[in-house]
Amino acid sequence: MKRFFEVCFVCLAFVSCGIKSDVRSFEAMNTFMTVRSFGKNSVAANSLIQNRMESYERMLSVTNDGSLLFRLNENPEEGIVVDGEIFKLVDFALCMAEKTSGALNPVLYPVTKAWGFTSEKYRVPEEKEISALLEVVDYRKVNVSVTSDSEINDGFRIRMDKGMMMDLGAVAKGFAGDRAVEILSENGITSALLDLGGNIQALGGKPDGTPWSVGIKNPWGGEPVCGIRIKDCAVVTSGGYERFFTDEKGKRYIHIFDSRTGYPVENDIAAVSVISSSGLYADSLSTSLFVMGFEKAVSFWKSSGDFDFVIIKNSKEIFYTEGLKDKIFLMTENASCIEK
């Protein structure tokens, strides 16, 4: 699973001024999560969120032998049956794979597993092994169909070719964040801030109506490079500086892969933060834009235009989209606004 801690709280502490609030921290989906909500049902809502996050881990973990994905990966040709909620997640991941020309690839798991990023037993596979693995990472070969042969109403069967494996780590936390916000809203909560392993998601603003302020972590350490004022949106960051290994020759390999080559990405980007009203969309795009590299990422944004980003290049330059002009506060002079 993808684990990021790039986005840190700059201004999380808030005096509730008599408004009932609850802060709940727990481990789920292979990461540490914190939910802070304000309202009379905050305790109950946060409890429901924890239960939901833990259920997603049981379903979507690629290493838990009882999970849906583990069973799919063990027997891809027979496949598994999922409900409508999980179907929508899988369908979204496949659609984003198509939209990003494979920059996001939900069936790249055979490659990342071979490099040891699941077991943390890191290794550099031989060229022939990588070439063989690239034969089973074609997302277009995932088959999803409606099935009546199931106890699940409106069930969907997911099948893949032999040797294929699915990992939804690039979208799972964003998906979970959107569901958490729905739970909060259903319980009458209008102000909350969630940190789902570095995926920041805000429901409304602070209880006094002002925006939350979150910081974008400096990939090289030290103070955040900038902060962003947000309401009702997610901020999701991908970077190669949290999870990597170094071989005996001193070469560093990060955990974000190029599905065309089977190797970790090497380009001009140090980190990408995507800001969107949808946590799921932001999660998928943070990985995709990182894989694309700076020029293609900018072109993708210009053609789409339904999100904002902050990109930190290896040159330590910072670029942000024009939609953030009135929301971003910079902590460096080495920054430029990108306009359409």
Side-chain angles (χ1 to χ4, degrees), residues 284-304:
S284 67
L285 285 176
S286 66
T287 299
S288 303
L289 299 185
F290 190 101
V291 173
M292 290 178 190
F294 182 72
E295 294 298 334
K296 289 184 178 179
V298 172
S299 295
F300 184 90
W301 168 73
K302 288 185 175 182
S303 66
S304 180

Side-chain angles (χ1 to χ4, degrees), residues 129-205:
E129 181 181 358
I130 293 174
S131 295
L133 291 173
L134 288 177
E135 297 295 321
V136 293
V137 298
D138 188 349
Y139 57 86
R140 294 166 295 185
K141 293 182 178 179
V142 178
N143 179 266
V144 181
S145 59
V146 178
T147 178
S148 58
D149 184 23
S150 168
E151 295 180 357
I152 302 175
N153 292 327
D154 299 322
F156 299 85
R157 183 172 293 278
I158 301 173
R159 292 188 179 95
M160 305 185 296
D161 285 359
K162 183 179 180 180
M164 293 182 69
M165 292 181 172
M166 182 176 290
D167 181 2
L168 298 173
V171 291
K173 286 194 298 181
F175 167 77
D178 287 342
R179 295 300 174 270
V181 167
E182 288 179 3
I183 290 172
L184 291 165
S185 296
E186 289 166 0
N187 282 271
I189 305 298
T190 58
S191 174
L193 191 63
L194 301 81
D195 181 353
L196 307 183
N199 283 31
I200 304 301
Q201 194 134 354
L203 171 61

